[in-house]
Amino acid sequence: MSLMAEAPLHRRIYAALEGRILSGELRPGDRLPSEHELCADYACARMTANRALSELAGRGLVVRRRRAGTFVAAPRAQSAVLAIPDLEAEVKARGQAYGYRLLSRQVRPPMAGDAAEQALADGGQLLALDCLHSADGRPLAHERRRIALAAAPAAEAADFASMAPGGWLLRSQPWSGAEHRITAIEADAALADHLGIARGAACLAVERRTWRTDEAGRETGVTHVWQVFPGAAYDLVARFTPGRAEGRHG
Amino acid sequence: MSLMAEAPLHRRIYAALEGRILSGELRPGDRLPSEHELCADYACARMTANRALSELAGRGLVVRRRRAGTFVAAPRAQSAVLAIPDLEAEVKARGQAYGYRLLSRQVRPPMAGDAAEQALADGGQLLALDCLHSADGRPLAHERRRIALAAAPAAEAADFASMAPGGWLLRSQPWSGAEHRITAIEADAALADHLGIARGAACLAVERRTWRTDEAGRETGVTHVWQVFPGAAYDLVARFTPGRAEGRHG
DNA sequence: GAGTGGTCTAGACCACTTG
DNA sequence: AAGTGGTCTAGACCACTCA
């Protein structure tokens, strides 16, 4: 029935096995055909069958064990690909006018009581920015940004009065890992004022920590940001598939 | 210096190239060595170099174009792997006592005004559940669950008075895709009562839609759930790496 | 001990695309 | 037209581990 007969053989094998797993015909713990059996079934070389099975394993749908065989992976994990967009690109992609305003800028050492700043700067200087993003003139997010100047010295000369730090960092600073924390908070007086909402209104807060790993495997903090969105104005959307998360960005 | 000399060759090639990208030595748009050049550099067969480059492409770090070559991918996308755990497993993993209570259960057709229910049931019957999850006796989440009985007929006989529907569905119902929507809301009177918080308090709301794709590529809705967490009691954490998202679930 | 997956080789043909 | 990646073959040796 399918018009996909032109697909590469390794992909057809992959798709056939994936279909049997996703449909429930093969259940967690069930054994898949061995590479040898697939070679016979599809009249192909072992590398071709291997590639299909390896890709299933890479996506977490199956587990491969020497001597034992290939098995459908455990109860499918709940992991999702969450798109956390660059705000400027996101707003423009929706056809709205993007606005940006720098509220404050300081170069200073980390504050004594702030563990996050201490961890980021590790004794060095910090660039501390507060700024506001808007879409079609309506406040979209308040951003509290900290950049470790030891890791990104060029940030000190960058013109963050006219350019949001997120996009600049993304374009110019390599990074190797990051962590998000998403939570709901109530707007305090300052946030309510900046975002034009009632004090106590529910907001979505996204905290992001970004680091770089050097050759020796040591992690160096690059930036730390808290973005707060009015709850009514912003959703985060995540798509996911069984097993290891998979998705396109863009 | 590294003690990783025992790693497979394709992985060493992969790691070397990944390091040059993540360190910033190779910048977006830069060209990587061709497969032929890597063969010469590492004294290996072309398939081995191909595997390293293919894996980089699979993770979104590079883009490969015939005749042109392999290039560092565009400005690294902001996509993260978000772990959205099965609540029971998550609570128990934290060493807390998990509690579950069914608040209401109905088998009925979709409600006239509810587009989400219409889309899920498509004329068929619906199992509508409201329930409450708790950790160490404190309310953790209110769950409003809808299950399409056409897609999961076994749900009608399942004992959701003593067992949360999420885990049962995950274990017994195959699925092929899902979508999350995360937002901040203020607790209404009923939510405040169930969760033991003040009316108007900020809450994290996670809406999840899960579907199954059949052989013909048609999507059939399986379940739709809204989970609401007290903002102060729950965070979602996402980890990510440049390019295509990658992560472990567990 | 036998069968599995993990890796690798040294070729091959093809499609595509770009210089 | 030439060089690139995409795919595939028909072998090979090894490590592991389960029966």
Side-chain angles (χ1 to χ4, degrees), chain A residues 24-250:
Chain A
E25 177 193 339
L26 288 172
R27 308 192 49 93
D30 285 357
R31 186 178 161 175
L32 276 70
S34 73
E35 296 186 354
H36 261 80
E37 290 165 334
L38 286 174
C39 291
D41 292 352
Y42 289 90
C44 66
R46 197 182 137 217
M47 279 265 341
T48 305
N50 175 284
R51 180 161 177 186
L53 290 173
S54 295
E55 248 164 67
L56 284 169
R59 303 200 176 180
L61 281 174
V62 304
V63 173
R64 313 197 70 190
R65 291 205 310 274
R66 285 180 153 99
R67 162 69 204 187
T70 301
F71 302 87
V72 178
R76 305 161 179 71
Q78 293 273 12
S79 59
V81 173
L82 176 65
I84 300 203
D86 177 56
L87 288 178
E88 178 168 0
E90 170 79 353
V91 168
K92 287 179 174 171
R94 289 192 298 203
Q96 299 179 313
Y98 172 75
Y100 165 78
R101 189 155 60 91
L102 180 63
L103 301 175
S104 76
R105 177 186 184 282
Q106 277 187 301
V107 175
R108 57 167 173 76
M111 292 195 351
D114 191 323
E117 289 195 356
Q118 297 282 350
L120 178 62
D122 196 23
Q125 290 287 97
L126 213 57
L127 178 61
L129 305 168
D130 280 39
C131 51
L132 201 61
H133 304 265
S134 62
D136 276 349
R138 292 202 327 275
L140 176 67
H142 177 266
E143 173 170 332
R144 174 188 167 86
R145 169 80 65 173
R146 303 293 178 261
I147 301 172
L149 288 177
E156 190 163 3
D159 177 21
F160 293 130
S162 61
M163 170 183 64
W168 180 85
L169 282 162
L170 194 61
R171 282 189 303 273
S172 70
Q173 297 298 315
W175 55 280
S176 51
E179 181 180 288
H180 282 132
R181 185 170 298 271
I182 302 163
T183 188
I185 64 171
E186 294 168 19
D188 62 18
L191 266 178
D193 187 42
H194 285 133
L195 295 177
I197 55 179
R199 194 184 304 190
C203 295
L204 199 62
V206 177
E207 176 186 358
R208 177 166 63 243
R209 191 171 63 84
T210 305
W211 63 84
R212 198 145 60 209
T213 306
D214 63 18
E215 317 81 40
R218 287 161 50 117
E219 293 183 354
T220 307
V222 176
T223 183
H224 196 146
V225 60
W226 295 260
Q227 291 173 329
V228 179
F229 304 86
Y234 205 76
D235 290 347
L236 291 170
V237 176
R239 294 176 178 281
F240 64 140
T241 53
R244 164 182 257 169
E246 184 205 10
R248 301 179 179 283
H249 33 254

Side-chain angles (χ1 to χ4, degrees), chain B residues 8-10 43-48 51 66-67:
Chain B
L9 182 53
H10 69 85
C44 66
R46 200 184 134 213
M47 278 266 340
T48 305
R51 181 161 176 187
R66 287 181 153 99
R67 161 71 205 188

Side-chain angles (χ1 to χ4, degrees), chain B residues 119-142:
Chain B
L120 178 60
D122 194 24
Q125 290 287 98
L126 212 56
L127 178 62
L129 306 167
D130 281 39
C131 50
L132 202 59
H133 304 265
S134 61
D136 276 349
R138 292 201 327 274
L140 176 67
H142 177 266

